[in-house]
Amino acid sequence: TENTPPSLIFVSSDDRLAPQSAIYFQALNAKKVSSALYIFPNGGHGWGFNADFKYHEEWKHLYLKWLKDIKIIE
């Protein structure tokens, strides 16, 4: 709904949930909910805060940038 909080979605293209994440992102946009979707080339599912994730540093940068963009942090 329009009352959904801002949403940040990270997935990997080789994650079986990636298609559902794209559908969710489209639904958020349709309701004009602030959202962002980042799809990494690989990494599977559940990499979360895993420092061994190939895109760990990029993920952290994008996360902090998003928090600043929606004015959660300065």
Side-chain angles (χ1 to χ4, degrees):
T1 72
E2 303 81 21
N3 297 321
T4 302
S7 298
L8 176 61
I9 306 163
F10 288 108
V11 296
S12 299
S13 61
D14 59 352
D15 182 345
R16 63 180 176 78
L17 297 177
Q20 290 89 340
S21 299
I23 292 167
Y24 180 56
F25 177 70
Q26 290 173 332
L28 292 167
N29 281 325
K31 295 294 183 178
K32 302 194 182 331
V33 174
S34 177
S35 59
L37 170 64
Y38 295 99
I39 303 174
F40 294 103
N42 53 44
H45 182 76
W47 42 263
F49 290 98
N50 183 351
D52 293 333
F53 176 53
K54 182 178 180 178
Y55 305 99
H56 183 74
E57 292 302 315
E58 185 176 356
W59 173 88
K60 289 191 313 184
H61 170 77
L62 292 168
Y63 178 60
L64 291 173
K65 180 184 179 311
W66 182 79
L67 290 173
K68 290 176 184 176
D69 288 348
I70 66 166
K71 304 194 181 345
I72 299 271
I73 64 172
E74 291 184 16

